[in-house]
């Protein structure tokens, strides 16, 4: 008989990280943020709070587009970026400052503009298959209020 193989479904994630990569909000704030996520994404497959010893990279997976310099807005080659990623990881990212290849401005890898957003951190709230689309500005403000820090929202597709 002939059998059709069904491709696996892809997973989508919303990942919240502090704009400052070394910040880990206090535990009571983390619990409140998780509870808030549960109210706005009640059908999510999983809501995970991540604490890391070292700074790691939180990526957007298949949503990756391009990387821009925050000073001159020129596109930065993936090859240059990958070479800096390799240099910076020791283990954990040190987020050293590098001269951008376009204009020479001094930036960390976290400072670069990623289309779609990506970033570095030691703390994240990661929601697998939240089934809610993108978060809106009022939700962003509420998460930032709860966690007590500006956040970067990463939408990852695998």
């Amino acid at each position: 008989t002939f059998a059709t193989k069904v491709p696996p479904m892809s997973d989508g994630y919303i990942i919240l990280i502090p704009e400052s990569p070394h910040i880990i909000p206090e535990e009571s704030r983390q619990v409140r943020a998780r509870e808030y996520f549960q109210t706005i994404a009640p059908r999510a497959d999983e809501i995970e709070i991540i604490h890391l010893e070292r700074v790691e990279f939180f990526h957007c997976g298949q949503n990756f587009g391009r990387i821009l310099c925050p000073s001159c807005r020129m596109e930065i080659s993936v090859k240059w970026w990958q070479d800096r990623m390799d240099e910076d990881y020791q283990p954990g990212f040190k987020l050293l400052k590098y001269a951008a290849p376009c204009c020479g401005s001094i930036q960390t890898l976290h400072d670069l503009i990623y289309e779609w957003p990506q970033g570095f951190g030691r703390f994240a709230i990661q929601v697998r298959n939240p089934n809610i689309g993108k978060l809106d500005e009022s939700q962003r403000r509420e998460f930032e209020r709860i966690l007590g820090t500006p956040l970067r929202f990463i939408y990852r597709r695998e």
Side-chain angles (χ1 to χ4, degrees):
T1 64
F2 176 73
T4 312
K5 187 170 184 176
V6 177
M9 298 246 330
S10 66
D11 286 320
Y13 296 81
I14 298 175
I15 305 164
L16 311 184
I17 62 172
E19 273 297 342
S20 178
H22 296 282
I23 288 180
I24 297 177
E26 59 191 56
E27 191 172 337
S28 64
R29 289 178 177 271
Q30 295 173 31
V31 169
R32 289 198 320 267
R34 179 191 198 111
E35 289 168 351
Y36 179 57
F37 235 133
Q38 288 171 328
T39 66
I40 61 176
R43 296 180 304 136
D45 288 349
E46 178 182 31
I47 300 174
E48 180 182 9
I49 293 176
I50 300 169
H51 299 120
L52 302 167
E53 296 263 336
R54 300 178 178 104
V55 173
E56 297 295 340
F57 182 57
F58 292 92
H59 63 88
C60 63
Q62 294 173 1
N63 288 333
F64 183 84
R66 61 188 185 148
I67 306 163
L68 303 174
C69 172
S71 292
C72 70
R73 299 284 205 213
M74 292 296 296
E75 188 167 349
I76 292 175
S77 78
V78 172
K79 168 81 170 100
W80 181 89
W81 176 75
Q82 287 173 330
D83 289 346
R84 300 302 76 73
M85 291 283 283
D86 290 344
E87 268 179 54
D88 208 84
Y89 192 81
Q90 303 182 11
F93 287 94
K94 301 303 177 200
L95 297 179
L96 303 171
K97 294 187 179 264
Y98 299 97
C102 41
C103 65
S105 66
I106 305 301
Q107 312 292 337
T108 70
L109 295 169
H110 188 69
D111 296 332
L112 300 175
I113 298 169
Y114 296 96
E115 294 180 354
W116 290 40
Q118 305 183 98
F120 297 79
R122 294 185 51 220
F123 168 80
I125 295 180
Q126 177 174 281
V127 183
R128 185 168 48 94
N129 297 324
N131 300 302
I132 59 170
K134 285 189 172 184
L135 298 170
D136 64 30
E137 274 308 305
S138 67
Q139 292 164 329
R140 169 185 292 277
R141 286 190 302 274
E142 184 62 9
F143 276 116
E144 289 179 343
R145 184 193 69 73
I146 291 169
L147 290 169
T149 187
L151 297 170
R152 187 173 295 189
F153 288 22
I154 300 168
Y155 297 92
R156 182 170 77 211
R157 175 68 51 198
E158 292 185 340

